[in-house]
Amino acid sequence: MAKNLYVGNLASEVTQEDLKENFKEVGEVVSAVVIKDKFSGESKGFGFVEMGTEKEAQDAIQKFNGGELCGKKLMVSEARPRPDQRSGGRPGGGGRRPGGGSRPGGGRPGGGGFGGRSRY
């Protein structure tokens, strides 16, 4: 069964191909991804590598955790399961703040919808 690994402290120039090439030294690389900022497209400095077996994953952790890639010391560990995406990715559900409605002033100088006067 395939095992997913977290790879942290990646240099900004590291690509998915770089991860695949390095990790295939210890076994089958099912997939590799470098996580990028959705707006700038720049690397966030971490990624994930899915190894073919549990043993290959453990071998990769032993070989690469603390090793260097592009001049940076890697952190490699078992990836934690992803949070439940239906709840907005955060514990507590929904991703909305409790209480609803908007705050007086609408978050803008001058009081927002109350013409600059306090409503109290």
Side-chain angles (χ1 to χ4, degrees), residues 18-102:
D18 294 331
L19 286 180
K20 284 181 186 176
E21 286 299 311
N22 280 278
F23 279 76
K24 77 178 186 180
E25 292 177 20
V26 294
E28 177 194 4
V29 176
V30 176
S31 65
V33 63
V34 173
I35 304 302
K36 297 182 178 187
D37 181 270
K38 65 181 174 181
F39 298 109
S40 70
E42 294 180 21
S43 170
K44 287 190 168 190
F46 69 95
F48 297 94
V49 175
E50 188 176 8
M51 300 300 295
T53 67
E54 176 76 34
K55 181 182 180 335
E56 291 169 343
Q58 291 305 317
D59 290 347
I61 290 170
Q62 284 188 329
K63 179 171 178 128
F64 296 113
N65 188 39
E68 279 194 22
L69 181 60
C70 295
K72 291 191 83 173
K73 190 174 180 178
L74 295 179
M75 297 181 340
V76 182
S77 63
E78 287 186 26
R80 294 187 301 230
R82 291 180 69 167
D84 182 1
Q85 295 301 305
R86 288 172 282 149
S87 67
R90 292 193 174 100
R96 301 185 102 195
R97 291 186 179 161
S102 64

Side-chain angles (χ1 to χ4, degrees), residues 102-105 111 113-120:
S102 64
R103 289 182 240 167
F114 298 104
R117 299 180 309 261
S118 171
R119 75 179 205 185
Y120 300 108

Side-chain angles (χ1 to χ4, degrees), residues 4-24:
N4 206 20
L5 300 176
Y6 165 83
V7 184
N9 203 34
L10 292 175
S12 59
E13 65 267 18
V14 172
T15 66
Q16 293 173 181
E17 283 303 313
D18 294 331
L19 286 180
K20 284 181 186 176
E21 286 299 311
N22 280 278
F23 279 76
K24 77 178 186 180

